[in-house]
Amino acid sequence: MPVRKNILDMTRDEVKRFTAALNALKSNGTYDAFTRRHMTAMNTATPAGSLRNIAHRGPAFLPWHRASLLEMEAALLAVDPSLPGMPYWRWEREGALNGGNPARSRVWTADYLGSDGVATSGNRVLNGPFASWVALLHQSSTNTFVPRSTPGLVRALGRDPGGTTSFPVEAQVTDVLAKYQTYDASPWDATVPAFRNQLEGWTAGSQLHNQVHRWVGGDMLVGTSPNDPVFWLHHCNIDRIWWAWQSRYGVVSTYRPVTGGPAGHNLGDQMRQLITPRQVGSVLDVKTLGYTYA
Ligand code: CU1
Ligand code: CU1
């Protein structure tokens, strides 16, 4: 049974095997298919013409990413069954752990996920386990994916002009967990003051999930953000926070909408752009999905 640990609590050997498994999936094409499905999900508005898509800006944001994480975790464990499980990156503690500068985290070293990008090299990450990775670019005019011409992921920690210098702190996570006891509410979009939207980060305030994407910058800013493996560790932490909320307020009974919401977001709706389409209601209980958070 997968045990999802804080990456900073993993042994050096576990981290090494985790990044090696990611490299195996990158080499055989499995990894890039996850990036393509994420981008395509982002481009599948529901209903058509809406800003909401089948995986973001709506109630299925948390279930869809939980399902995608399950599939990535299964792929990693198929490569290396001795891995503990998908690690999470507890970003809300990184500021306090690093004198106010989360860019100083151990996560951003060659032994973990590689460093910040190098400004004089187009913010490409030149060290670490993914230094030779070629990111997939999405071309919207033709709706096709092409490999970027230069290898190396792109990051600009807290310094991307399209991103943000702000970074979440633990009190903001605690606050969202305590304050928002309703999972989601009509009109099921990026405006509602409910838990899903607060954690996703579309409203004023801490903007937790979105802020982390924007702070990492570079490849994490766009719909192909799974190009950077930090995506999975970030979303694993989001999933852990959702599970903490569910453990407090109700695992299955809290999900909204049961019916009457946008297609793909109701309790009984199918979620698409996964390897195996799944019902929203089938991913609510972590215990039945068979993983735990350490
Ligand atoms: Cu996403
Ligand atoms: Cu995300």
Side-chain angles (χ1 to χ4, degrees):
M1 181 167 92
V3 177
R4 298 182 175 181
K5 298 185 189 178
N6 183 329
I7 190 165
L8 297 178
D9 294 335
M10 280 167 74
T11 65
R12 210 187 171 89
D13 181 60
E14 283 173 334
V15 174
K16 216 175 201 166
R17 284 186 288 117
F18 169 63
T19 58
L22 285 166
N23 265 293
L25 297 179
K26 182 73 176 178
S27 304
N28 70 19
T30 303
Y31 190 93
D32 283 351
F34 280 90
T35 304
R36 286 196 297 270
R37 282 190 292 273
H38 184 268
M39 182 78 229
T40 307
M42 207 139 190
N43 282 339
T44 310
T46 179
S50 161
L51 287 175
R52 183 193 310 103
N53 60 68
I54 59 175
H56 305 90
R57 294 175 177 253
F61 168 69
L62 293 169
W64 189 92
H65 288 82
R66 176 172 284 173
S68 188
L69 269 168
L70 270 176
E71 293 182 340
M72 176 55 88
E73 182 174 60
L76 291 166
L77 286 166
V79 170
D80 184 350
S82 72
L83 282 172
M86 178 68 77
Y88 60 88
W89 172 37
R90 197 157 184 174
W91 32 258
E92 70 272 29
R93 289 188 170 168
E94 291 285 21
L97 286 173
N98 296 286
N101 184 1
R104 290 199 198 126
S105 169
R106 214 181 334 145
V107 162
W108 310 117
T109 60
D111 288 339
Y112 285 77
L113 304 181
S115 71
D116 190 4
V118 175
T120 50
S121 295
N123 286 325
R124 282 180 302 132
V125 178
L126 301 178
N127 67 7
F130 318 121
S132 64
W133 280 32
V134 172
L136 279 187
L137 299 180
H138 180 254
Q139 295 190 320
S140 48
S141 53
T142 50
N143 194 26
T144 50
F145 294 89
V146 293
R148 188 154 58 212
S149 55
T150 45
L153 302 170
V154 175
R155 289 179 191 146
L157 308 180
R159 56 186 182 82
D160 195 310
T164 180
T165 57
S166 304
F167 199 76
V169 296
E170 190 154 27
Q172 294 171 322
V173 174
T174 311
D175 188 57
V176 164
L177 282 170
K179 249 197 196 147
Y180 297 92
Q181 304 180 15
T182 301
Y183 177 77
D184 211 336
S186 177
W188 320 110
D189 61 9
T191 67
V192 284
F195 176 72
R196 184 275 311 164
N197 196 37
Q198 291 297 321
L199 182 56
E200 189 173 2
W202 294 108
T203 50
S206 53
Q207 305 179 345
L208 302 168
H209 156 266
N210 285 348
Q211 190 169 77
V212 172
H213 275 274
R214 297 181 66 232
W215 180 86
V216 175
D219 285 322
M220 278 284 276
L221 277 181
V222 290
T224 48
S225 50
N227 268 321
D228 188 334
V230 76
F231 171 92
W232 301 102
L233 287 89
H234 173 34
H235 272 276
C236 195
N237 196 45
I238 292 289
D239 190 68
R240 186 188 61 78
I241 294 167
W242 181 29
W243 179 239
W245 184 91
Q246 290 181 296
S247 303
R248 199 180 295 190
Y249 302 114
V251 173
V252 176
S253 60
T254 47
Y255 189 82
R256 297 288 182 282
V258 176
T259 57
H265 291 264
N266 299 288
L267 184 69
D269 290 357
Q270 289 272 322
M271 297 186 288
R272 295 176 292 134
Q273 291 304 326
L274 298 165
I275 298 172
T276 309
R278 276 174 181 270
Q279 270 191 349
V280 170
S282 75
V283 299
L284 299 181
D285 191 350
V286 158
K287 284 184 198 137
T288 67
L289 296 173
Y291 63 87
T292 56
Y293 283 103

